[in-house]
Amino acid sequence: MNIHEYQAKALFEKFGVPVPKGVAAKSPLEFEAALAQLPDAPVVVKSQIHAGGRGKGTFTDGFKGGVKFAKTKTDALDYANKMFGNTLVTAQTGAAGRKVQTVYFTQASDIKKEYYLAILLDRASSRPVIVASTEGGVEIEKVAHDTPEKIFKIVIDPAYGLADFQIRDLIARLGFAGNEAKNAAKLIRSLYACYWETDAAMIEVNPLITTPTGEVLALDAKVSFDSNALYRHPEIIALRDLNEEDPKEIEASKYALSYIALDGNIACLVNGAGLAMSTMDIIQHFGGSPANFLDVGGGASKDQVVAAFKIILGDPNVKGILVNIFGGIMDCNVIATGIVEAVKEVGLKLPLVVRLEGNNVAAGKATLANSGLTIVSGDTMADAAQKIVKLVA
Ligand code: ADP
Ligand code: MG
């Protein structure tokens, strides 16, 4: 689960990570009151969307920059009105962009230097890792590619936690000295506590900055959490912003379906995550392109299948559907009955290929055959994939 920058910064403050003062507004009616809470000094106006690269982004109406420096509060108000309700396209949003529904006003900081600092789970070592660089602010992927020696990694023993010598090492490698070093050490320790105690999956601060007076501040904040641990953090679940999530994915979660929207035109309905992955692979293998990942689980009910069809058809790009079921726990006839009901209920006009195998498959196939509906049967995965790819071509 992702949260907004303004929420992440509030969380940072709880853990003692210094951030510039800021106020979020969820409606233009709140803009003036929000600005009134900041000192009479330059303000940075920041679009709140769950995607990075906002500073270099462009709105669909041509307005440039999802992060704007405003010399005066009058300018800040003007920028906020241009951003709010407008759709911001960045390198991370995809072409459709994201509608800005919250604006964050933050005190402009005097930047001496920008750094990069992130804490995330390293899957290779199964440990938390701190990734840092003196080359912050710009795209870190580019630094990693062109000058990998400028990126430092510190792997943390989760049983011991972040050790003092590791912090000293990091501080030295980033070139901090004196007051900056002291403040940076404190910030890194607090940020690690935040990562650990909230069960975060990733915390990214880009840029982390120093100021001419020796302060060290988190100027940007991107935080995501491990969804498997959310049950023990109700205060974090409360930060969820459904505006930022695909409505189809929200609907799917209500029916305990694992659905992830993709860019292709062949919708898949599969039981089991592994089979769902290989179904997407085989569609690609035969020259097609999957519209989604959808796992109905090991023991889906008829209602879930009907819900799954409706969700799939909510995607206007879908030109055909491939159902691929291996009945282990699942009774193929339950799926078949669900399919027939769903097709009738939604009045399906698109080509549908179904491949059933396993538990009670004969009854399942009979249900499909006797339904009077145009359902193409696939004998094997390869056969079914080839058929649906041909039908949507
Ligand atoms: P994004 O990464 O989505 O583009 P950032 O919050 O990193 O958004 O903002 C982009 C750039 O804007 C930063 O690299 C920084 O140079 C500048 N910036 C952001 N917040 C402030 C601030 N409070 N004061 C001064 N400059 C800022
Ligand atoms: Mg940034």
Side-chain angles (χ1 to χ4, degrees):
M1 187 191 106
N2 297 314
I3 58 173
H4 287 296
E5 174 196 1
Y6 80 92
Q7 297 169 318
K9 284 182 170 170
L11 198 61
F12 282 7
E13 282 191 302
K14 274 194 205 157
F15 283 89
V17 176
V19 297
K21 189 174 161 57
V23 186
K26 292 191 177 192
S27 143
L29 299 172
E30 298 170 17
F31 289 169
E32 288 195 44
L35 279 164
Q37 294 180 54
L38 294 177
D40 272 316
V43 171
V44 176
V45 187
K46 309 185 82 170
S47 304
Q48 299 296 288
I49 56 169
H50 285 186
R54 295 164 300 166
K56 289 189 173 153
T58 304
F59 289 91
T60 45
D61 69 352
F63 182 67
K64 278 200 162 38
V67 174
K68 285 287 211 186
F69 177 88
K71 258 193 187 151
T72 63
K73 286 188 177 175
T74 315
D75 288 353
L77 194 62
D78 185 38
Y79 286 142
N81 279 313
K82 289 198 165 106
M83 288 175 189
F84 193 89
N86 208 341
T87 300
L88 179 59
V89 181
T90 81
Q92 293 180 15
T93 58
R98 292 217 167 256
K99 191 167 164 188
V100 176
Q101 302 181 65
T102 304
V103 172
Y104 188 46
F105 298 102
T106 171
Q107 221 180 324
S109 297
D110 201 353
I111 301 175
K112 183 176 153 202
K113 181 167 167 56
E114 295 188 320
Y115 299 80
Y116 177 90
L117 182 67
I119 309 177
L120 59 153
L121 184 70
D122 175 32
R123 290 179 191 275
S125 60
S126 308
R127 291 176 172 212
V129 61
I130 296 185
V131 179
S133 176
T134 51
E135 310 304 300
V138 292
E139 278 174 37
I140 196 68
E141 292 84 2
K142 193 173 179 314
V143 180
H145 181 264
D146 300 346
T147 48
E149 70 282 1
K150 290 190 172 160
I151 295 185
F152 315 121
K153 282 187 190 163
I154 293 203
V155 178
I156 298 157
D157 180 340
Y160 186 82
L162 180 60
D164 284 347
F165 78 89
Q166 292 181 304
I167 297 180
R168 282 196 297 274
D169 181 29
L170 193 59
I171 297 290
R173 289 209 254 175
L174 290 171
F176 290 124
N179 236 355
E180 275 180 10
K182 225 167 69 192
N183 290 333
K186 201 169 147 259
L187 182 144
I188 293 166
R189 195 185 319 271
S190 308
L191 201 68
Y192 184 75
C194 177
Y195 168 85
W196 187 256
E197 282 168 35
T198 62
D199 288 308
M202 187 199 70
I203 292 186
E204 188 184 54
V205 179
N206 187 26
L208 174 83
I209 61 144
T210 50
T211 69
T213 54
E215 283 178 294
V216 183
L217 300 172
L219 224 59
D220 190 5
K222 208 170 163 193
V223 177
S224 64
F225 301 95
D226 180 346
S227 6
N228 296 311
L230 283 175
Y231 73 93
R232 53 187 186 191
H233 300 287
E235 76 293 353
I236 288 169
I237 297 175
L239 301 176
R240 188 170 174 196
D241 182 355
L242 295 180
N243 286 330
E244 291 291 322
E245 295 179 24
D246 186 324
K248 296 193 291 306
E249 291 179 16
I250 298 169
E251 189 63 18
S253 68
K254 284 189 204 155
Y255 288 91
L257 302 164
S258 308
Y259 171 91
I260 295 164
L262 300 167
D263 299 333
N265 59 4
I266 298 176
C268 327
L269 190 158
V270 189
N271 66 323
L275 191 61
M277 301 276 259
S278 39
T279 304
M280 297 191 303
D281 282 349
I282 202 160
I283 289 172
Q284 297 249 13
H285 177 74
F286 287 114
S289 165
N292 65 275
F293 168 98
L294 173 57
D295 172 12
V296 296
S301 67
K302 212 174 60 195
D303 289 349
Q304 278 178 301
V305 176
V306 174
F309 262 85
K310 287 188 181 160
I311 291 162
I312 281 175
L313 293 170
D315 176 354
N317 294 328
V318 168
K319 296 284 176 284
I321 302 174
L322 173 59
V323 175
N324 186 16
I325 300 293
F326 184 81
I329 305 168
M330 174 82 81
D331 177 338
C332 287
N333 200 29
V334 168
I335 283 282
T337 312
I339 293 169
V340 171
E341 192 162 303
V343 169
K344 285 184 178 159
E345 198 177 322
V346 302
L348 184 71
K349 303 263 178 338
L350 301 173
L352 168 64
V353 176
V354 179
R355 180 252 181 175
L356 294 177
E357 197 55 82
N359 179 13
N360 210 14
V361 66
K365 284 190 172 167
T367 299
L368 295 180
N370 299 334
S371 67
L373 300 167
T374 1
I375 298 173
V376 181
S377 167
D379 293 329
T380 61
M381 251 173 95
D383 179 47
Q386 279 168 294
K387 280 178 175 159
I388 192 67
V389 169
K390 208 176 262 168
L391 283 166
V392 302

